[in-house]
Structures are given as C-alpha cells and as structure tokens.
Amino acid sequence: MTVLAHRTDTLTRDALAVLQPGFEGTTAPAWLLRRVAEGLTSVGLFGRNVASPEQLAALTAQLRAERDDVLVAIDEEGGDVTRLEVRGGSSFPGNLALGAVDDTDLTRGVARELGRRLAECGVNLNWAPSADVNSNPDNPVIGVRSFGADTALAARHTAAYVEGLQAAGVAACTKHFPGHGDTSVDSHHALPRIDVDLETLAVRELVPFRAAIEAGTKAVMSAHILVPALDPTRPATLSPQVLTGLLRKELGYEGLIVTDGMEMNAIAGTYGIERGSVLAIAAGADAICVGGGLADEATVLRLRDALVAAVHEGALPEERLADAAARVRALAEWTRTVRPAPAVPGAPEGGAPGIGLEAARRALLVSGGGRGPVPDPYVATLAPVANIAVGDETPWGVAAELAALVPGTGAGVYPEGSAAGDVLAAAGGRTVVAVVRDAHRHPWMAEVLDALVAARPDTVVVEMGLPRAEPRGALYIATHGAARVCGRAAAEVIARG
C-alpha cells in the first residue's frame, strides 16, 4: 500500500469513527454491519429501533458480532423521554420528579437501575442526563427534563445521575452544553439564543456541568444554541470558543464531546449537515450525532466523505480528526472492559414495586382531597402537541392507569380547540379528572380548566408537566412529569384517596 493510500484509508476510518448514525428497523441492516466492520464505532438507537428488551439485546448482539467494542447509544432519559419503553411509557420518572423529591441517593439508584436495564439490552452509552437549569419556565423543549430551576439542586442531582448510570457500566452523556434551560425556542425548529452575561453563565448554566465533570461523566453533548457572550456568530456545537476554549481548557474536560442531532433545523437549516459536521469536529466535537430524521447509508457516506474532503482541502486539521476518533475509540474500549460496581448495601434497587414507582409516588404534590376515593371518574386529557424530543408515540396521562384501578372509568382526549362544554357533555354526571401538561404554557388549556372548575367544583386536576399555576380543583395533583409511573402514582391517589 502506498503512503497516500494508507493515509486515505486512515482518514476514512477516522471519519467513520466519529459518526453516530441511526437506522431504520429493529434489526441491523446489512449496510450498517458493513460500515461497522469498516470502522464505524458508534450507532444511535431511537424508538423506531426498539420493540422489546429481547429484540434490543438481539440487535446489539448483531452489532457486536462485527466489533465487540461498538458504542450503542440511546436517548433514554426516563420520564417523558424514553426509547426503551417508547410504546408503553417509562417505568422511571424523569428529572423534574427526582428534583422534586431531592434525594440524591434516590436519583443515583434510579439512574443505576435504568443503566442496569440498558446494559442488559447491550446499550452502553446513554445520551443523558439533562443538566440544564430550567430558568425559563416557558422553555418549550426542556421543562420536566430538567432537575429544576435551582442551580445547586440541578448540580447535585446531575452528579448523582452520572454516578448511578456509570456504576451500571453505561457511559453518561451530560447535556446540553453550555445549558439549554434559558431558551424560548426549540432547537429542533430554529436556532435559540441566550442573551446572558458571562457571570450569569458561570454561576447558573455551567455549575451542573462542572459537577458532572467532577463526577466523571464519560461524555458531554453540545447544544445548538447561540450564546453571544461566548461566541457571537456560531452556535455552541460549532464554536471553538465554547467546545475547546470553555469546555476543554477552562473546565478541564477530557472526555468525549458529542453533538446534538445535526439534522435539527438549528444546524441543518443554517449550515447544512455536511458543513455543520466539519465545523463541529474542527471546533472540538468528537462525535457527530445524526439519525433521528436522516437514517440511511447515504447520509453516513455523505458525512464521511465531507470530513475526508475537508482534511484534504485544509478546512479540517488531520490531527483534529485523528484526536476525535481516538477519543471515540477510547470510550468504546472503556465500555468493553468496564465492570458494573457492586451494589451498595442499603441502596435503593429495582424490583416490585420498583424504585421508579417509589420515586414517582414521592414526587407527587397533592392539594385538597382527603374525602376518600374520587367517585365515578371521567378522565379528560387536554393534550398539547408534544415536542420532538418527547415524541407523540409514547402514551401519557392517567386514564389507563386509573381504569386498571377503577373499572368503568370513562376517558376522552381533547386537543387545542376543545371547550369545557365538550368535556362536561361527555362526562355527564361523572366526576371530571382533567389531565394537563404545562398548562401555564397553553392559554387554551388554562381557559378550559377554569371553566371546568367553575362549572363543576368537584373537578380533579392532574398537572403532568411543569407546575406553575396555583392549585385548582377539589383535588390537585402535580406529578412533575408524564411517565407511566407518574400516571400510576396519581391514579392511586384518585382511586384510593
């Protein structure tokens, strides 16, 4: 092999190594297995790839038959964002519920049990936890995915989550650096901008990331957000000032830097995924996440070839690409050799009824009630459009869980445009249980709630998003998230009093 051919082969393998692509289906397609054998070191899984734990274990075994150190990543936050239980809802409450309990041992235990289940299925990299401080309650994409609006609370629970997840042998990927909590735009749709000064960033957004780094997080995910105080022209994912200057040099982070999904419109709609990927690696990112929407071999080859061409053209230093690939391979080697830590005596573990349900019960905020079970309930779910990170395929609410406890429970789903009269007509004389998600962000929802409570003072209100409004209704339950176990915990209160 000539020197030029050897260099080209090395560049191609390095370019494949830094990609984290997705794919369609519940088995690995031939093209993916072929690319893994050629040097692709990471694969990203989404809800479309998961049918059952057994199927997922078989899928990851397929990949490891090609290389035993392949990184298999998934976006499994628990709570509202679940891929492992995308069709039924999560067995674990999300970050806001854990923050509401504020027991770091519980958070550590939940993360460890979640990590154990992922590891059993062959998943070894989790794009979680969210370390964002939810300082803007109108944030359309973070909300209950954050541990809360208190910086110190978010920091201690981020660290506990990282420790628990990695104790199970699954690498944590703390996100979304340098902090997505103070945004009013969803980066899936457009480029958010955070106009705060450096001091505010240092004492608010960056604190949980410092805690994650101290806890040993193996990966950090960048955010597609513009922070002019750090870089006035480029979003964090593409900014050398943010990734190399701040994260690497100032915070001293040495692990893997992963981008958020490059097909999100904040990047794809402005830079394009090929140029965006080159700029991200040049800025200091090590792994390119793509595949939530673009999930085919052609995308992988386009990005591979764009990175190789950028090196040949001088737009991307060869050493930077090699360094990025080396960091990916180093994490892959860690996951291959790591052994889960032994259980800590007395630490919360899984099992019946399970640590997830225990956490969901402890996270409930209940006002009113006290008169025993709610009689003859009719569940009216006021349903907003789900954000893309959550997805609309995962069921939520309390109707199914309550029906399991109270046979004959009525139910209906009411989208925007519905009126209180629609609910009352369907409920008849039954007790209305109005279930909402972020009512403070949806004026139509608040209007329906007010009308229901005025017409029927015995109305029960269940808030499964961020609780911001004053409690209303004869019984008010805030679950701090819409996971299946959160619905179960609320249903128990409604059914049993």
Side-chain angles (χ1 to χ4, degrees):
M1 180 180 293
T2 66
V3 172
L4 179 59
H6 177 75
R7 176 172 181 254
T8 300
D9 183 64
T10 299
L11 286 176
T12 299
R13 291 184 66 84
D14 285 350
L16 279 175
V18 303
L19 302 180
Q20 288 190 350
F23 61 96
E24 299 284 349
T26 54
T27 59
W31 71 261
L32 183 65
L33 297 175
R34 183 169 61 252
R35 300 306 171 189
V36 169
E38 292 174 357
L40 185 69
T41 310
S42 308
V43 174
L45 301 181
F46 297 85
R48 62 176 179 252
N49 305 123
V50 181
S52 69
E54 295 76 20
Q55 166 270 325
L56 183 54
L59 168 57
T60 58
Q62 272 188 291
L63 296 168
R64 293 208 165 83
E66 297 297 332
R67 58 179 304 158
D68 62 358
D69 66 342
V70 67
L71 286 169
V72 182
I74 201 167
D75 195 2
E76 182 57 55
E77 300 177 15
D80 291 30
V81 180
T82 180
R83 311 303 180 220
L84 199 59
E85 299 180 276
V86 67
R87 290 167 180 79
S90 182
S91 300
F92 303 93
N95 284 3
L96 188 67
L98 296 173
V101 178
D102 196 12
D103 178 344
T104 52
D105 286 338
L106 180 67
T107 295
R108 193 175 292 107
V110 165
R112 180 171 180 147
E113 176 63 13
L114 179 58
R116 184 187 68 78
R117 297 191 190 185
L118 290 172
E120 281 187 346
C121 296
V123 176
N124 54 14
L125 172 59
N126 191 9
W127 293 320
S130 169
D132 307 296
V133 179
N134 199 53
S135 52
N136 181 355
D138 292 327
N139 193 315
V141 68
I142 301 300
V144 298
R145 301 168 65 198
S146 165
F147 289 110
D150 180 271
T151 298
L153 179 145
R156 61 179 173 265
H157 285 276
T158 295
Y161 198 105
V162 167
E163 291 164 355
L165 194 62
Q166 294 186 169
V170 175
C173 183
T174 305
K175 61 190 184 185
H176 306 81
F177 187 83
H180 211 311
D182 193 18
T183 60
S184 58
V185 172
D186 185 343
S187 51
H188 290 89
H189 302 299
L191 179 62
R193 177 186 176 110
I194 298 181
D195 286 303
V196 297
D197 56 32
L198 291 175
E199 181 179 358
T200 301
L201 286 168
V203 301
R204 190 177 67 185
E205 272 75 16
L206 298 183
V207 174
F209 289 98
R210 290 183 184 275
I213 292 168
E214 290 175 5
T217 188
K218 293 296 180 180
V220 169
M221 178 176 282
S222 67
H224 303 331
I225 57 175
L226 186 67
V227 186
L230 297 172
D231 188 328
T233 60
R234 288 187 179 177
T237 293
L238 311 183
S239 171
Q241 293 95 312
V242 175
L243 299 188
T244 299
L246 177 59
L247 184 53
R248 288 280 187 228
K249 294 180 179 178
E250 186 173 333
L251 300 188
Y253 176 64
E254 293 295 330
L256 190 74
I257 299 176
V258 183
T259 72
D260 207 343
M262 296 300 285
E263 69 270 42
M264 293 163 64
N265 209 43
I267 299 296
T270 307
Y271 296 87
I273 63 168
E274 293 96 334
R275 181 170 177 244
S277 295
V278 170
L279 291 173
I281 297 295
D286 305 305
I288 300 297
C289 176
V290 65
L294 298 171
D296 54 31
E297 184 176 22
T299 298
V300 172
L301 297 181
R302 282 165 53 202
L303 296 183
R304 180 201 67 182
D305 293 347
L307 291 166
V308 171
V311 172
H312 287 308
E313 294 164 3
L316 174 63
E318 185 172 350
E319 297 78 10
R320 173 78 275 273
L321 179 60
D323 174 64
R327 290 181 190 274
V328 174
R329 294 177 186 128
L331 180 57
E333 178 64 13
W334 178 85
T335 63
R336 189 182 69 82
T337 58
V338 69
R339 295 293 177 268
V344 177
E349 297 292 341
I355 190 172
L357 182 54
E358 172 197 341
R361 287 168 174 164
R362 290 178 62 185
L364 292 181
L365 172 65
V366 181
S367 301
R371 296 188 295 274
V374 172
D376 195 15
Y378 176 83
V379 179
T381 303
L382 309 186
V385 176
N387 73 57
I388 293 176
V390 173
D392 58 9
E393 70 268 43
T394 304
W396 66 280
V398 302
E401 299 296 333
L402 186 56
L405 299 175
V406 183
T409 294
V413 177
Y414 299 86
E416 184 172 1
S418 302
D422 301 326
V423 176
L424 294 171
R430 290 177 288 184
T431 305
V432 175
V433 178
V435 183
V436 297
R437 201 172 185 176
D438 290 336
H440 70 284
R441 291 200 304 111
H442 303 284
W444 71 270
M445 200 180 288
E447 182 179 335
V448 171
L449 277 185
D450 288 340
L452 286 173
V453 172
R456 291 285 300 272
D458 62 342
T459 295
V460 175
V461 176
V462 182
E463 170 61 83
M464 303 195 78
L466 194 68
R468 292 287 297 174
E470 289 296 318
R472 64 186 95 182
L475 172 64
Y476 175 88
I477 304 171
T479 61
H480 299 97
R484 176 175 54 81
V485 286
C486 297
R488 169 65 185 273
E492 289 175 348
V493 174
I494 296 166
R496 299 168 185 170

